[in-house]
Amino acid sequence: MPDVQSTTPDVRINLTRVGVKNVKKLVEVSRPDKRPVIFISTFDVFVDLPGSLKGANLSRNFEVIDEVLQQAIDGDVKEIEDLCSIVARKLLDRHEYADRTEVLMQSQFMVKRETPVSHTSCHEVVTVHARAVARRTFREPIVRKSIGAEVTGMTACPCAQNIMKERAMYVLQDLGVEDETVEKFLEKVPMATHNQRGRGFLCIEIDDDQHLKLEKIIRILKESMSASIYELLKRGDESYVVLSAHNNPRFVEDCVRECAKKVLAEFSYLPGDSLITIKQTNEESIHQHDAYAERKATMAELFVELNGEHQ
């Protein structure tokens, strides 16, 4: 049968990305001395296409994905972002006409958690993002990969809390409570404020020979908000979470800045050109809009800014 994809198109224009989207796969990544990690994943896979070819051989994309997934099951792939980079490399081998390949992977990852007071076991679904881009060179391909996550948490508004604190001070003073007692009370009992459910996103792009732990990315995101949230809470847990959030009020901007600070501390070994993307969306409770903040910068840029802050 004739290979129609290899014929010359009527309009000879190069295409930036040609491929397949929404490829559903169950990804199993083995771990030493532990059960495998299971990701319910969706892949988008692309190659560039020269103007001399009518189409790309898309069946090769499916073949490469299945081949690399089998490698992961066999224990040859240890990290989810490595899976994407291996696929990107193999796509260059299979698509000899392509100079660039790109693999995007979005996964649902189930994390087992324990509540802070009653230690009740519960689960949380985390959205994991991975990506790899391979570029052909005269020698070995250049590959950049990224790994990231999106998690939910809770924030407490500092502005409204200050308003409520000022009101409490006036009320206590009108009731004849001494100023020293008022100060001690307000130190121990944080004032009410309105809350938001926050959605934090952190993604780090690195060279192919660098490695990151997904668990650290998830932890940084959670610690950058006012408090963590849980699917199941006993009364003691609920009190702990609410008190923790109100003792640690943060604006949406605070969450992004705190996340950047923690990334620098946790991943200080990364090269300066590692690209950091941080996004925070807070779903307001007393407004009909959402609050949003974002920062995209290299490790070197963040280092200079944060060090300059303390000079």
Side-chain angles (χ1 to χ4, degrees), residues 91-140:
L91 286 171
L92 280 181
D93 295 336
R94 301 292 175 86
H95 296 276
E96 63 283 350
Y97 48 80
D99 289 324
R100 181 185 184 276
T101 64
E102 182 179 1
V103 180
L104 296 98
M105 178 181 176
Q106 182 172 308
S107 306
Q108 297 297 304
F109 175 42
M110 190 70 74
V111 179
K112 188 175 181 180
R113 304 189 62 205
E114 191 178 83
T115 58
V117 177
S118 68
H119 304 294
T120 302
S121 180
C122 58
H123 288 85
E124 176 183 357
V125 177
V126 173
T127 302
V128 178
H129 299 263
R131 177 176 179 262
V133 175
R135 291 180 173 85
R136 195 184 301 279
T137 68
F138 292 110
R139 298 179 181 177
E140 285 293 309

Side-chain angles (χ1 to χ4, degrees), residues 156-167 191-196 246 249 251 284-287:
C157 177
C159 183
Q161 189 175 58
N162 279 338
I163 294 172
M164 297 304 294
K165 181 178 180 179
E166 187 175 349
R167 174 172 173 76
M191 289 295 97
T193 185
H194 68 95
N195 305 122
Q196 304 89 15
H246 286 73
F251 290 124
E284 295 282 8
S285 59
I286 65 170
H287 306 292

Side-chain angles (χ1 to χ4, degrees), residues 134-190:
R135 291 180 173 85
R136 195 184 301 279
T137 68
F138 292 110
R139 298 179 181 177
E140 285 293 309
I142 296 174
V143 180
R144 292 278 286 181
K145 63 185 180 182
S146 61
I147 181 69
E150 181 179 321
V151 305
T152 56
M154 175 181 177
T155 56
C157 177
C159 183
Q161 189 175 58
N162 279 338
I163 294 172
M164 297 304 294
K165 181 178 180 179
E166 187 175 349
R167 174 172 173 76
M169 290 175 63
Y170 287 137
V171 171
L172 290 170
Q173 288 168 353
D174 285 345
L175 292 173
V177 181
E178 295 181 358
D179 289 346
E180 184 178 347
T181 304
V182 170
E183 289 181 9
K184 289 181 179 180
F185 174 79
L186 293 176
E187 283 179 6
K188 293 184 177 296
V189 182

Side-chain angles (χ1 to χ4, degrees), residues 215-240:
E215 291 81 2
K216 289 184 178 181
I217 290 176
I218 294 172
R219 176 174 54 79
I220 286 172
L221 281 168
K222 288 184 173 296
E223 292 177 354
S224 298
M225 293 181 249
S226 295
S228 293
I229 60 175
Y230 303 83
E231 182 65 25
L232 177 63
L233 292 172
K234 302 293 187 180
R235 295 185 69 177
D237 298 313
E238 187 171 343
S239 172
Y240 180 92

